[in-house]
Amino acid sequence: MWVIPEDVLLAGALWITERANPYFILQRRKGHGDGGGGLAGLLVGTLDVVLDSNARMAPYRILYQTPDSLGYWIIAHGTSRKEITEHWEWLEHNLLQTLSIFENENDITTFVKGKVQGIIAEFNKNHDVKEDDDTDKFKEASSKFRKLFGMPDEEKLVNYYSCSYWKGKVPRQGWLYLSINHICFYSYLLGKEAKLVVRWADITQLEKSATLLLPDVIKVSTRANEHVFSVFLNINETFKLAEQLANIAMRRLLDNKGFELDRSLPKLKKKSPKKVSALKRDLDARAKSERYRALFRLPKDEKLDGHTDCTLWTPFNKMHILGQMFVSTNYICFTSKEETLCSLIIPLREVTIVEKADSSNVLPSPLSISTKNRMTFLFANLKDRDFLVQRISDFLQQTTSKIYLERELNGSLNSSDDESHYEKSSRLVCPTFDPAIFTSSQAKEFLKEQAWKNHFTEYGEGVCMYRTEKTKELVLKGIPESMRGELWLLFSGAINEMTTHPGYYEDLVEKSMGKYNLATEEIERDLHRSLPEHPAFQNEMGIAALRRVLTAYAFRNPNIGYCQAMNIVTSVLLLYAKEEEAFWLLVALCERMLPDYYNTRVVGALVDQGVFEELAREYVPQLYDCMQDLGVISTISLSWFLTLFLSVMPFESAVVVVDCFFYDGIKVIFQLALSVLHANIHQLLGCKDDGEAMTVLGRYLDSVTNKDSTLPPIPHLHSLLTDNGEPHPEVDIFKLVRSSYEKFGSIRADVIEQMRFKQRLRVIQTIEDTTKRNVVRTILTETAFSIDELEELYVLFKAEHLSSCYWGSSSNPTERHDPSLPYLEQYRIDVELFKGLFALLFPWANGAHSDPLAVRFFRLLDENGDALLNFRDFINGLSVLCHGDLTEKLKLLYKMHVLPGECQTSMKKLSTPDYRHYLKLWNEETKPKRESTKDLPKLNQSQFIELCKTLYSMFSEDVAEQELYHATATVTSLLLEMGEVGKLFTSCDVFIPAELEDKPSPCEDAKQQDVSEELAPMQDIKLEDSSPKETGTSSAMLISDDETKDDTSMSSYSVLSAGSHELDEKLQCEDIADDTVLVCSDERPSERERRRIPNGGGLPHSTSIDKDWAITFEQFLASVLTEQALVRYFEKPVDVAACITNAKNVRKVGRPLLSTSDYEISLSG
């Protein structure tokens, strides 16, 4: 290919000149081409892989040089001699003579460079090549990646790194390629090649470690192997990118959320020397935005625009605090270098003025930001203040326009709030003070309120409040009952989403009212189990509010819908917040603060259970082994984490835990859980079984009290269920929380995220393995396949689905993979994916003619007509072909051709069925199915034609091809004769109305349309009319000639019927190898007869298809049994293990046209 001219310092180093003229030189890389170059060639090939330099380019190149100059410019390179020779010949024919006209060498150089650039521009224009941000060097690496590993263009390379791969005890220096869906390695060392391809979705463990011999190592583990990479130039960057890509793969397995490139990224500078791809920049930006959102509890769609070092003037202590300012689309945030000193969130919707103040030596480059609540924030020491002010101004302008639009859209809604169907402004509990009974606890509550009011006066109130160590101290002492809802909204960030989505909750409630699905049924079942001991939920008002919030959220997020434990958490939120506020708090919990906790498989809680086990091993090692032996950690962590201790502690104590959780996040739950274990360490070490350990922990948690609570005592359900043993001494909740901070406060949020990633890989892969085992166990008794064979087939089936997610398919991946469905339905394939598996695994597949047969087979297996097959459907079909007897196989072949005319053929996707549909299907599947051969409908003439075509195409590549063709011709003639004889018994009784005689039925019409669209052209079958003895009448004839070969419609194969019903001669087969002709006479149709066939495509429908002609399955079976060649073919045993191995090997090679999905491979040669 032509390349933009670049300088070359040493033209002869490591290159051999093959052709030359005064201006151009064609060179070949040493070690490539004939001879291989001996030792020098091996060394150069090794250097090409090891070095990250221009030496890694293609093996052929063309250089430009003027006669009197020492400089060279590369203008083209090629991967093959043919490609580079075409470029060389073009230069000789079109450019060489022109250059001799010029007198000045500089003019020649300018002309050549301009010509080459013009060729490249013209090529890009003609081939619609879009400019992107990737550098030429990265494009070269990306091209090499696809070529080395057989990846399609859809597989995007993210980055590549030099490293060593430990193959056995020998390190292989090469390149690690990280793409969106795969991690690959390639090495070429002294003539030996090593390749490795692993899907991110197959990785079970990814960790960075260090040993004495290898200080920096990345270990990649799958179910079968462990791969070790070392000697990285930047191991941290490599590992972080690998983590991100593995996370994306896990997310796709979990909920189908794949990767989509962010098109809003700023453009890369054209002359950037870095080898950073647009995808790498996108992933880096995503990672920074995720950390930014987690740090300041911002909405999940907020994107970080940039950050800069600065100082912030804090009026409460009269200091300039050093930290970082973060600017995003809707927020300006600040955090101090010293983590707990100060943090600040300023929504742009609250900003009124942004202005540059005068600089001074004391206050360089200051920036003043004023808000609606009359607070002013002074930042200084900003490096690029002018640019920063411009960015903030741009975002402010966008924010202002959004606010005006929202006001217009919601004006009518706000005016009718008073007429709402529920009182959204009320809380279920409104704490009040009665002066007559002003107890000590109420006095403490009053003092807490005053302390918070003083804090608001000093540090500000609302979203823009300065958050300092003082704020944390107040939270640990307990939030006043009257302020709890307000501060929960503030600390969780839910206030931001609620403010920016006015009217959203009301709309959801309106839309969800009266709707019925699985989530609403589960909600109704659990409504009266939500804090039943609390008076607020002992009446319809509280129950109705809880129903509305849970139902609205189920409609907002169908992926979660409803999960047990959500009712308990939501009921507590409703006690302290208004209904809409409780909804947005629930959104913050489910989607940001407790990610994946409340989906159908509680993945997030299982992940944090693994994290808790790791923390327990680190912080309470003396207890860890004991707890593991008892199996207690997995039991307690789910109930503690899912309900934030609300289900295991007295209510008035558990809400204090929720206070701290909304302020400090999940680390509070881990700290508290470790504190509970630490406080009971001696009792737990003495426990003999898990029941005794649970009793010890249950008594301890029951005894946790909140003496400051002003609420009336509420009986705790958990305490009512414990035994009558001696109660545990009371434990003060505030002392317990403070103790957890003192002993385990060193646990950092970023460390928890790192541990979560490790556990997420383990949990999701465990779930996938469980799904596989359950699916295999479910269908094991229904098939003759062994467990190992079923597991291997399931892996191939799932891999086909994943490949379609990576590289596209005709159907939506979210329709084919739904983790919320029963195990068998979680992975499904459409007809295009089935074609690929059919060609690989099914014994009837035969190369070019496989697709039409696969389409028929797919329709037969798709019993519910949703255009998707689950694993059971797939195995049922494969099992008949691999383990079925002759009759079963022939019955299947027969039904494949009856189905389009007799049953539904539409490939139209049905509307998404609800769970009752699946229950109905399951109920039907449990009933025994008995199908008699007599129940099968007859095969009409058009269907018989298609059956003939299928048989001939099936045998086209068989070793006994000639014998099978002769046998098929004999069987076909016999069946034709049977069909004619059968007409004698049906023609007298069948009446066809005249208006319907020439019109196909709707089902027949749909069949013909589907066949014309789905079935590829097959080998023509020419059946010619016979000359019966002395009768002069024809019996039956299928016509096809050269004029009809390109017509794929049904009328290409026309059938004529005449008065005689006798056949004195059997059909014979001629010219089988090239153009199969079933002959029944010695004469071909005359030219005159051919011209009467419209468009050369067969006779009109009314005369080409005999509506009375039909055969039964018994006739078809009996006819096939007369031919030993056909019997041998259909009774031929199938080596299932060999088929599976072959399928896996094909997938290893990596053929994009087959939607390949690569397994681990490690090759050397």
Side-chain angles (χ1 to χ4, degrees):
M1 61 180 289
W2 300 102
V3 296
I4 296 175
E6 292 181 4
D7 292 338
V8 176
L9 296 177
L10 297 173
L14 308 181
W15 292 86
I16 300 171
T17 300
E18 294 198 335
R19 296 189 190 182
N21 59 42
Y23 295 100
F24 302 105
I25 303 171
L26 190 154
Q27 295 183 325
R28 173 174 57 85
R29 187 92 169 140
K30 287 183 180 180
H32 293 275
D34 299 334
L39 180 59
L42 289 177
L43 291 173
V44 172
T46 302
L47 286 173
D48 283 354
V49 173
V50 173
L51 298 179
D52 180 20
S53 66
N54 288 334
R56 298 180 62 245
M57 64 190 306
Y60 297 94
R61 70 180 183 182
I62 297 175
L63 303 180
Y64 159 74
Q65 180 200 30
T66 55
D68 298 331
S69 172
L70 298 177
Y72 296 86
W73 289 267
I74 180 172
I75 60 173
H77 60 64
T79 56
S80 65
R81 187 181 295 276
K82 179 182 177 182
E83 180 186 4
I84 205 69
T85 302
E86 289 176 356
H87 290 350
W88 179 263
E89 291 175 352
W90 187 91
L91 289 171
E92 286 186 330
H93 295 150
N94 297 282
L95 215 58
L96 204 55
Q97 294 180 353
T98 307
L99 297 182
S100 60
I101 301 173
F102 291 91
E103 297 180 358
N104 190 327
E105 289 190 358
N106 290 335
D107 294 341
I108 297 175
T109 302
T110 303
F111 176 77
V112 171
K113 289 182 177 180
K115 192 69 177 176
V116 172
Q117 290 173 351
I119 293 172
I120 295 172
E122 186 67 22
F123 177 85
N124 291 346
K125 180 181 177 182
N126 294 338
H127 292 78
D128 194 27
V129 177
K130 298 179 180 178
E131 287 191 14
D132 54 33
D133 289 340
D134 292 344
T135 60
D136 291 337
K137 188 175 182 181
F138 187 84
K139 290 176 185 175
E140 181 189 332
S142 185
S143 175
K144 184 173 182 180
F145 159 73
R146 283 193 284 270
K147 181 181 176 184
L148 284 173
F149 304 106
M151 298 291 179
D153 291 339
E154 292 83 359
E155 183 68 5
K156 302 298 183 184
L157 179 66
V158 180
N159 213 351
Y160 59 101
Y161 301 93
S162 173
C163 70
S164 290
Y165 168 55
W166 287 81
K167 188 179 179 186
K169 296 183 179 180
V170 181
R172 305 293 295 267
Q173 184 66 27
W175 290 88
L176 185 70
Y177 295 87
L178 306 183
S179 68
I180 287 296
N181 303 302
H182 298 85
I183 175 172
C184 308
F185 177 83
Y186 178 78
S187 172
Y188 180 86
L189 191 64
L190 298 178
K192 289 193 174 182
E193 186 180 61
K195 284 186 183 179
L196 176 75
V197 181
V198 181
R199 268 198 310 258
W200 290 116
D202 291 334
I203 291 177
T204 57
Q205 191 171 359
L206 180 68
E207 60 180 346
K208 182 176 64 173
S209 60
T211 62
L212 188 61
L213 295 176
L214 299 172
D216 292 323
V217 170
I218 292 178
K219 288 184 181 179
V220 179
S221 302
T222 64
R223 292 174 178 84
N225 298 302
E226 181 181 274
H227 308 286
V228 179
F229 303 92
S230 63
V231 195
F232 288 92
L233 294 176
N234 190 340
I235 189 171
N236 291 327
E237 179 188 332
T238 309
F239 185 70
K240 284 180 180 177
L241 180 57
E243 272 190 330
Q244 274 188 286
L245 294 170
N247 253 328
I248 290 171
M250 294 304 106
R251 179 56 58 186
R252 180 182 274 125
L253 288 177
L254 185 60
D255 56 15
N256 286 311
K257 290 184 180 177
F259 177 83
E260 293 183 5
L261 182 62
D262 185 359
R263 302 292 178 184
S264 63
L265 287 175
K267 293 289 183 182
L268 193 66
K269 294 179 181 179
K270 287 291 182 184
K271 296 184 179 180
S272 173
K274 296 182 178 180
K275 60 171 186 178
V276 177
S277 67
L279 279 174
K280 177 67 166 61
R281 293 169 54 230
D282 184 4
L283 288 168
D284 288 344
R286 287 171 188 242
K288 290 177 181 177
S289 292
E290 285 175 10
R291 288 194 294 269
Y292 167 64
R293 290 193 296 266
L295 182 60
F296 298 105
R297 308 275 170 80
L298 300 178
K300 60 182 180 179
D301 56 352
E302 192 67 18
K303 293 179 183 177
L304 178 64
D305 186 66
H307 59 88
T308 183
D309 291 337
C310 67
T311 59
L312 171 66
W313 170 254
T314 50
F316 52 86
N317 60 2
K318 307 293 190 294
M319 290 177 62
H320 291 282
I321 297 178
L322 182 64
Q324 278 191 322
M325 174 193 283
F326 300 84
V327 179
S328 60
T329 315
N330 300 293
Y331 298 88
I332 299 171
C333 301
F334 174 88
T335 185
S336 58
K337 291 285 186 184
E338 189 179 338
E339 189 175 352
T340 59
L341 199 57
C342 179
S343 67
L344 182 66
I345 301 171
I346 309 174
L348 292 182
R349 64 179 183 271
E350 299 290 329
V351 174
T352 55
I353 301 173
V354 176
E355 59 181 350
K356 293 182 283 187
D358 295 333
S359 294
S360 65
N361 293 332
V362 180
L363 207 61
S365 302
L367 177 66
S368 173
I369 299 177
S370 302
T371 61
K372 294 176 182 176
N373 61 354
R374 299 182 180 179
M375 293 181 70
T376 301
F377 304 95
L378 186 61
F379 299 91
N381 291 284
L382 294 163
K383 292 180 181 177
D384 197 349
R385 183 178 61 169
D386 293 341
F387 176 76
L388 181 64
V389 170
Q390 183 59 49
R391 294 298 292 166
I392 294 174
S393 299
D394 293 342
F395 292 140
L396 265 176
Q397 191 172 1
Q398 297 172 16
T399 305
T400 306
S401 60
K402 285 181 191 174
I403 292 173
Y404 284 133
L405 180 62
E406 287 171 358
R407 284 177 181 172
E408 290 177 9
L409 291 174
N410 295 286
S412 59
L413 179 66
N414 293 335
S415 64
S416 60
D417 279 349
D418 295 336
E419 301 174 6
S420 180
H421 63 277
Y422 64 93
E423 185 59 39
K424 67 173 187 175
S425 61
S426 62
R427 299 176 185 173
L428 296 181
V429 175
C430 297
T432 57
F433 290 139
D434 185 353
I437 51 170
F438 197 70
T439 63
S440 61
S441 60
Q442 289 183 334
K444 289 181 181 178
E445 187 78 3
F446 178 76
L447 292 176
K448 286 182 185 178
E449 288 186 7
Q450 291 303 313
W452 276 99
K453 289 176 181 177
N454 294 336
H455 184 273
F456 293 151
T457 302
E458 189 174 359
Y459 295 90
E461 188 173 5
V463 188
C464 301
M465 176 178 68
Y466 291 99
R467 303 169 196 223
T468 66
E469 193 67 28
K470 181 73 176 295
T471 314
K472 181 178 176 180
E473 283 296 319
L474 286 176
V475 172
L476 294 184
K477 291 178 181 177
I479 298 176
E481 298 280 335
S482 59
M483 297 181 177
R484 188 161 268 143
E486 173 191 346
L487 291 173
W488 283 358
L489 279 171
L490 184 65
F491 295 141
S492 67
I495 185 68
N496 294 312
E497 288 166 299
M498 188 176 76
T499 306
T500 54
H501 293 81
Y504 177 85
Y505 174 66
E506 288 90 334
D507 289 343
L508 267 183
V509 171
E510 291 289 347
K511 290 175 184 176
S512 61
M513 282 184 67
K515 299 292 176 63
Y516 181 83
N517 57 25
L518 182 59
T520 57
E521 182 176 313
E522 291 177 341
I523 290 169
E524 288 298 325
R525 187 178 64 237
D526 285 351
L527 283 176
H528 294 280
R529 305 175 187 173
S530 310
L531 292 188
E533 65 275 13
H534 198 287
F537 297 99
Q538 294 172 358
N539 59 69
E540 187 53 35
M541 179 182 170
I543 295 295
L546 182 60
R547 178 187 293 115
R548 285 192 293 269
V549 173
L550 291 174
T551 306
Y553 186 78
F555 274 79
R556 168 189 165 86
N557 192 343
N559 290 332
I560 291 179
Y562 171 77
C563 173
Q564 283 188 340
M566 286 174 68
N567 59 319
I568 297 174
V569 175
T570 307
S571 59
V572 173
L573 299 179
L574 279 168
L575 293 176
Y576 295 101
K578 302 172 187 175
E579 201 171 305
E580 183 180 13
E581 293 172 347
F583 169 80
W584 287 112
L585 283 168
L586 184 62
V587 169
L589 272 175
C590 296
E591 297 175 13
R592 290 190 286 105
M593 302 189 74
L594 296 176
D596 302 322
Y597 259 59
Y598 299 108
N599 58 24
T600 52
R601 296 180 287 186
V602 293
V603 172
L606 292 173
V607 168
D608 280 352
Q609 173 184 304
V611 173
F612 181 54
E613 289 184 13
E614 279 195 69
L615 292 172
R617 182 168 57 235
E618 180 180 350
Y619 288 96
V620 283
Q622 65 272 42
L623 186 59
Y624 175 76
D625 292 336
C626 171
M627 296 293 282
Q628 284 293 94
D629 293 340
L630 296 176
V632 174
I633 290 183
S634 58
T635 307
I636 60 176
S637 55
L638 274 181
S639 60
W640 292 3
F641 292 179
L642 275 171
T643 63
L644 304 176
F645 285 92
L646 287 165
S647 63
V648 293
M649 265 190 197
F651 171 77
E652 61 276 7
S653 301
V655 290
V656 176
V657 178
V658 179
D659 292 343
C660 300
F661 168 76
F662 277 125
Y663 183 80
D664 244 350
I666 190 63
K667 63 170 286 187
V668 171
I669 306 300
F670 286 121
Q671 290 173 185
L672 196 64
L674 290 172
S675 288
V676 173
L677 292 184
H678 190 269
N680 294 276
I681 191 166
H682 299 297
Q683 294 92 321
L684 290 171
L685 286 173
C687 292
K688 298 177 182 178
D689 55 41
D690 57 342
E692 189 178 350
M694 292 300 295
T695 301
V696 168
L697 293 172
R699 283 181 182 167
Y700 180 83
L701 290 170
D702 288 339
S703 69
V704 177
T705 59
N706 179 3
K707 296 180 180 178
D708 293 353
S709 175
T710 59
L711 298 176
I714 301 169
H716 183 223
L717 184 61
H718 186 270
S719 65
L720 299 177
L721 301 176
T722 56
D723 60 16
N724 296 321
E726 185 179 344
H728 191 282
E730 288 188 352
V731 179
D732 184 73
I733 181 61
F734 298 107
K735 290 181 179 178
L736 179 62
V737 169
R738 191 166 292 279
S739 170
S740 72
Y741 271 90
E742 291 171 355
K743 293 177 181 176
F744 309 107
S746 58
I747 299 173
R748 294 170 52 90
D750 56 344
V751 174
I752 290 175
E753 284 305 314
Q754 182 70 34
M755 297 168 77
R756 274 178 166 176
F757 164 75
K758 178 182 175 181
Q759 295 297 329
R760 191 176 294 117
L761 287 178
R762 180 189 61 79
V763 167
I764 293 180
Q765 296 295 14
T766 301
I767 289 174
E768 291 294 308
D769 290 343
T770 302
T771 300
K772 179 175 71 174
R773 287 194 300 271
N774 286 334
V775 168
V776 168
R777 191 184 302 119
T778 301
I779 63 177
L780 182 62
T781 57
E782 304 172 11
T783 177
F785 290 114
S786 67
I787 292 180
D788 292 339
E789 288 171 344
L790 284 173
E791 290 187 347
E792 295 279 8
L793 290 168
Y794 181 86
V795 169
L796 286 169
F797 186 86
K798 175 183 167 184
E800 201 70 18
H801 163 82
L802 291 176
S803 298
S804 69
C805 294
Y806 301 159
W807 303 324
S809 175
S810 59
S811 61
N812 188 344
T814 57
E815 294 176 349
R816 291 182 279 107
H817 177 212
D818 186 350
S820 65
L821 293 179
Y823 290 117
L824 275 170
E825 299 289 337
Q826 285 186 18
Y827 289 107
R828 293 174 289 179
I829 58 173
D830 60 18
V831 66
E832 292 301 320
L833 302 180
F834 180 76
K835 287 179 185 177
L837 287 174
F838 184 85
L840 288 174
L841 293 168
F842 286 65
W844 289 357
N846 52 8
H849 300 296
S850 292
D851 282 2
L853 185 59
V855 172
R856 289 187 178 279
F857 207 166
F858 182 89
R859 289 177 180 158
L860 179 64
L861 297 176
D862 182 23
E863 294 182 359
N864 62 358
D866 64 352
L868 296 171
L869 295 184
N870 63 28
F871 187 62
R872 170 184 270 151
D873 300 331
F874 175 77
I875 289 298
N876 286 343
L878 183 60
S879 181
V880 173
L881 266 60
C882 292
H883 300 293
D885 57 26
L886 173 69
T887 304
E888 288 175 324
K889 292 178 182 178
L890 291 177
K891 186 189 297 183
L892 189 69
L893 184 63
Y894 183 89
K895 287 167 66 178
M896 285 164 59
H897 294 81
V898 171
L899 179 68
E902 298 294 329
C903 309
Q904 57 187 8
T905 63
S906 174
M907 300 292 287
K908 182 179 179 183
K909 183 78 171 66
L910 297 178
S911 58
T912 304
D914 60 13
Y915 73 101
R916 287 171 294 183
H917 173 76
Y918 288 103
L919 290 175
K920 183 179 178 183
L921 288 179
W922 176 81
N923 188 41
E924 292 175 356
E925 288 174 355
T926 56
K927 297 177 182 177
K929 297 180 181 178
R930 296 179 182 176
E931 183 181 51
S932 170
T933 56
K934 294 182 180 180
D935 297 332
L936 294 174
K938 292 183 178 181
L939 202 70
N940 63 33
Q941 206 167 61
S942 64
Q943 293 165 345
F944 174 69
I945 294 169
E946 291 301 317
L947 178 58
C948 293
K949 289 163 61 179
T950 298
L951 286 171
Y952 277 93
S953 66
M954 281 171 61
F955 307 145
S956 63
E957 297 178 13
D958 195 274
V959 291
E961 181 179 359
Q962 302 294 330
E963 187 181 3
L964 288 168
Y965 279 164
H966 282 289
T968 305
T970 304
V971 169
T972 303
S973 63
L974 185 59
L975 288 171
L976 284 169
E977 187 174 345
M978 288 181 181
E980 291 294 330
V981 173
K983 286 169 57 178
L984 293 174
F985 301 97
T986 59
S987 58
C988 298
D989 302 325
V990 177
F991 171 73
I992 302 175
E995 63 272 13
L996 297 178
E997 185 173 0
D998 292 336
K999 297 179 182 177
S1001 66
C1003 206
E1004 181 83 3
D1005 195 346
K1007 175 198 72 85
Q1008 292 194 15
Q1009 182 178 359
D1010 280 344
V1011 168
S1012 64
E1013 292 176 358
E1014 295 283 348
L1015 301 185
M1018 290 196 180
Q1019 183 176 353
D1020 287 345
I1021 304 173
K1022 299 185 179 180
L1023 300 183
E1024 300 193 359
D1025 191 17
S1026 64
S1027 297
K1029 294 178 181 179
E1030 301 176 351
T1031 62
T1033 58
S1034 63
S1035 165
M1037 170 170 83
L1038 280 86
I1039 297 176
S1040 179
D1041 54 65
D1042 294 336
E1043 297 175 2
T1044 66
K1045 279 190 176 183
D1046 294 331
D1047 191 344
T1048 60
S1049 66
M1050 291 294 299
S1051 60
S1052 297
Y1053 305 90
S1054 304
V1055 180
L1056 296 179
S1057 297
S1060 174
H1061 301 287
E1062 297 178 2
L1063 275 176
D1064 297 316
E1065 295 178 22
K1066 288 188 177 182
L1067 296 174
Q1068 298 177 2
C1069 196
E1070 296 179 359
D1071 301 329
I1072 292 176
D1074 298 320
D1075 194 7
T1076 303
V1077 181
L1078 299 184
V1079 181
C1080 211
S1081 77
D1082 297 325
E1083 297 179 2
R1084 297 179 64 83
S1086 66
E1087 191 67 25
R1088 181 178 177 184
E1089 286 175 307
R1090 292 181 187 175
R1091 287 197 186 110
R1092 279 188 290 180
I1093 300 175
N1095 302 321
L1099 294 178
H1101 192 276
S1102 60
T1103 57
S1104 63
I1105 299 296
D1106 190 339
K1107 297 182 181 297
D1108 296 332
W1109 191 97
I1111 59 170
T1112 64
F1113 173 71
E1114 289 90 340
Q1115 292 170 328
F1116 174 64
L1117 176 62
S1119 301
V1120 171
L1121 290 174
T1122 63
E1123 291 297 324
Q1124 194 61 32
L1126 293 176
V1127 172
R1128 283 196 302 270
Y1129 177 85
F1130 286 106
E1131 286 188 337
K1132 182 168 55 178
V1134 178
D1135 188 346
V1136 178
C1139 289
I1140 293 174
T1141 302
N1142 177 65
K1144 290 168 67 176
N1145 289 336
V1146 170
R1147 287 302 185 241
K1148 285 181 183 180
V1149 173
R1151 298 178 183 172
L1153 294 178
L1154 294 177
S1155 294
T1156 62
S1157 67
D1158 297 281
Y1159 290 77
E1160 297 173 50
I1161 58 176
S1162 185
L1163 308 172
S1164 65

